[in-house]
Amino acid sequence: MLNEAEVIVRFSRIIPQLPPAAFDDHYPPDPSLLLASDGPFEVFYAPLDYVNATAKIAIVGLTPGKHTMYRSLAVAKSAIERRLSWEEAQRQAKLQAAFSNARNSLT
């Protein structure tokens, strides 16, 4: 698995260059985001690794779905294009995309 510095170097360069289809969940995930595969299973990167150190509650064990991945990539790309820091891009991606497909169910 990549460490934090490797994630920053790799994905802060890849995300701004992704084609429009990379943000549309009607298409398969972009191959440049592939982290690992094992047989039919594949793991793709989504910029949801920001951790809010002041959070009062944590929800653990939920794997983001395809919709959340695509949304987080779009938000991160927008933040990077606005020349925000990588940490801020991750923070915005997490705030806007995490649980975006399940918020009503969670509340």
Side-chain angles (χ1 to χ4, degrees), residues 1-103:
M1 197 49 102
L2 300 173
N3 67 40
E4 186 176 356
E6 292 168 327
V7 166
I8 293 169
V9 169
R10 181 174 172 188
F11 295 109
S12 66
R13 292 180 182 156
I14 289 173
I15 291 172
Q17 298 175 12
L18 290 171
F23 308 101
D24 184 340
D25 61 8
H26 293 97
Y27 293 93
D30 192 278
S32 65
L33 300 169
L34 183 66
L35 291 173
S37 64
D38 185 10
F41 302 104
E42 297 177 316
V43 177
F44 291 88
Y45 177 76
L48 295 165
D49 29 7
Y50 173 79
V51 175
N52 179 353
T54 62
K56 305 257 191 259
I57 187 170
I59 299 174
V60 180
L62 295 175
T63 301
K66 207 169 149 181
H67 172 80
T68 301
M69 180 186 88
Y70 286 105
R71 175 82 177 121
S72 69
L73 289 168
V75 171
K77 180 177 181 169
S78 173
I80 292 167
E81 288 173 344
R82 290 180 284 138
R83 301 192 181 276
L84 299 178
S85 70
W86 176 251
E87 183 177 9
E88 181 59 18
Q90 287 180 306
R91 188 185 77 76
Q92 287 190 12
K94 185 139 186 189
L95 287 174
Q96 293 183 42
F99 307 109
S100 60
N101 213 22
R103 284 197 173 130

